[in-house]
């Protein structure tokens, strides 16, 4: 599943479609795609894992789910797109993605303070939300989009190793300093992810995700599907403390 930094890259690559008119639209989505025909894009935005094309009275939300992809001016040769939007200055394609219309202003739907990559990100708000759920495991908390919009499984695994916290630690058991580190690193690692992905070196910087041995102590890493979401989790049973 594309995580927040990948959607930021998409937003940046698609920015030149802002203020452009949709000249042609097609795709195999059941959504009424023709609603966008002849409409002008007001803004190109993102929130967490959502890519957003804003029109005058509604917006298109694209969520890439587990296996979604996009292309710009380079369609997949043998795969029909879920959505094709043609503009005077290029064509945007989405595959295997979920599409939805959002009515009215986006500010009425999204709280930008919850997006870890937004300039409006509010760590104090994240702390209040987490403290209200003391029984939640940290491996679930980092994937809670209402708290950390944009954080996905890679970021989760890497952040927990960075702060040396066992994924099955309860939020309420974290010392205040560790809770602060969790919140700060959710944002910091997301921006590191963004820069590494732009340089095509993201995987070279993974410390535990999809790795076999701990880079700190050399012991074999643990691997299990943890939490209510049962997402694949890598951690070091020696270096990451279970509070």
């Amino acid at each position: 599943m594309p995580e927040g930094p990948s959607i930021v890259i998409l937003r940046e690559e698609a920015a030149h479609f802002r203020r452009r008119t949709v000249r042609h639209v097609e795709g195999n989505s059941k959504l009424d795609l023709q609603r966008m025909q002849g409409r002008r894009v007001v803004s190109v935005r993102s929130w967490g894992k959502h890519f957003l094309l804003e029109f005058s009275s509604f917006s298109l939300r694209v969520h890439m789910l587990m296996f979604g992809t996009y292309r710009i001016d380079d369609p997949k040769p043998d795969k029909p797109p879920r959505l094709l939007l043609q503009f005077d200055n290029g064509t945007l394609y989405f595959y295997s993605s979920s599409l939805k219309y959002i009515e009215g202003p986006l500010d009425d739907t999204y709280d930008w303070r919850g997006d870890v990559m937004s300039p409006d990100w509010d760590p104090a708000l994240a702390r209040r939300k987490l403290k209200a759920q003391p029984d939640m495991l940290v491996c679930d908390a980092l994937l809670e989009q209402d708290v950390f919009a944009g954080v996905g499984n890679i970021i989760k695994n890497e952040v927990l190793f960075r702060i040396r916290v066992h994924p099955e630690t309860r939020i309420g058991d974290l010392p205040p300093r560790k809770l602060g580190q969790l919140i700060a690193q959710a944002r910091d690692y997301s921006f590191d992810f963004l820069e590494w992905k732009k340089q095509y070196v993201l995987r070279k910087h993974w410390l535990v995700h999809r790795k076999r041995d701990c880079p700190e102590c050399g012991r074999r890493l643990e691997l299990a599907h943890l939490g209510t979401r049962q997402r694949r989790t890598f951690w070091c049973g020696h270096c990451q403390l279970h509070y």
Side-chain angles (χ1 to χ4, degrees):
M1 177 187 293
E3 303 189 25
S6 297
I7 303 304
V8 169
I9 291 173
L10 164 58
R11 184 189 73 203
E12 293 174 351
E13 292 179 349
H16 62 289
F17 296 129
R18 180 172 175 263
R19 298 180 180 174
R20 297 288 181 164
T21 299
V22 177
R23 299 302 183 187
H24 177 71
V25 57
E26 63 180 78
N28 58 17
S29 172
K30 295 181 180 179
L31 197 67
D32 177 18
L33 301 179
Q34 294 306 313
R35 183 181 184 184
M36 293 179 282
Q37 178 74 41
R39 302 298 294 263
R40 186 167 174 259
V41 174
V42 174
S43 68
V44 180
R45 305 177 74 177
S46 66
W47 181 88
K49 300 177 184 180
H50 296 179
F51 173 73
L52 303 161
L53 286 178
E54 187 176 13
F55 298 93
S56 59
S57 59
F58 69 96
S59 299
L60 174 72
R61 187 207 76 181
V62 181
H63 191 303
M64 295 191 187
L65 305 175
M66 290 300 295
F67 304 109
T69 57
Y70 72 92
R71 296 282 188 92
I72 296 178
D73 299 330
D74 182 28
K76 294 185 177 182
D78 300 315
K79 187 173 183 179
R82 183 64 43 86
L83 172 66
L84 176 160
L85 290 172
Q86 183 177 357
F87 303 87
D88 289 334
N89 63 338
T91 305
L92 181 57
Y93 304 84
F94 291 100
Y95 301 88
S96 304
S97 301
S98 170
L99 309 180
K100 179 182 178 181
Y101 287 131
I102 296 174
E103 306 299 332
L106 286 174
D107 290 346
D108 292 346
T109 298
Y110 291 102
D111 186 347
W112 309 101
R113 298 176 300 169
D115 182 346
V116 296
M117 305 202 71
S118 169
D120 296 321
W121 161 251
D122 186 346
L125 177 61
R127 181 181 287 268
R128 291 195 297 271
K129 289 179 178 179
L130 291 174
K131 293 185 74 172
Q133 304 181 75
D135 293 328
M136 181 181 288
L137 301 182
V138 293
C139 62
D140 285 328
L142 280 167
L143 298 178
E144 188 66 39
Q145 296 302 293
D146 180 57
V147 182
F148 298 111
V151 170
N153 209 44
I154 297 172
I155 297 173
K156 176 206 76 179
N157 288 329
E158 294 295 311
V159 164
L160 290 176
F161 182 74
R162 271 191 175 189
I163 66 174
R164 302 298 194 265
V165 170
H166 190 288
E168 291 185 301
T169 299
R170 294 167 61 252
I171 286 293
D173 293 331
L174 277 177
R177 180 177 60 86
K178 281 295 176 183
L179 181 60
Q181 290 177 359
L182 179 82
I183 294 167
Q185 285 299 322
R187 179 174 172 86
D188 290 349
Y189 189 86
S190 294
F191 278 96
D192 288 342
F193 183 125
L194 176 65
E195 292 307 311
W196 292 332
K197 191 169 179 66
K198 286 182 175 180
Q199 297 169 23
Y200 303 99
V201 294
L202 175 62
R203 294 193 180 196
K204 293 180 181 179
H205 288 274
W206 288 349
L207 298 177
V208 293
H209 186 73
R210 294 187 180 179
K211 298 296 184 178
R212 190 187 70 170
D213 300 321
C214 175
E216 184 71 19
C217 70
R219 289 175 171 84
R220 181 66 60 90
L221 291 172
E222 305 286 344
L223 168 61
H225 291 78
L226 300 182
T228 58
R229 293 171 173 81
Q230 288 291 289
R231 297 300 302 277
R232 191 165 60 152
T233 305
F234 297 82
W235 78 98
C236 177
H238 175 73
C239 295
Q240 292 176 245
L241 185 60
H242 194 166
Y243 289 89

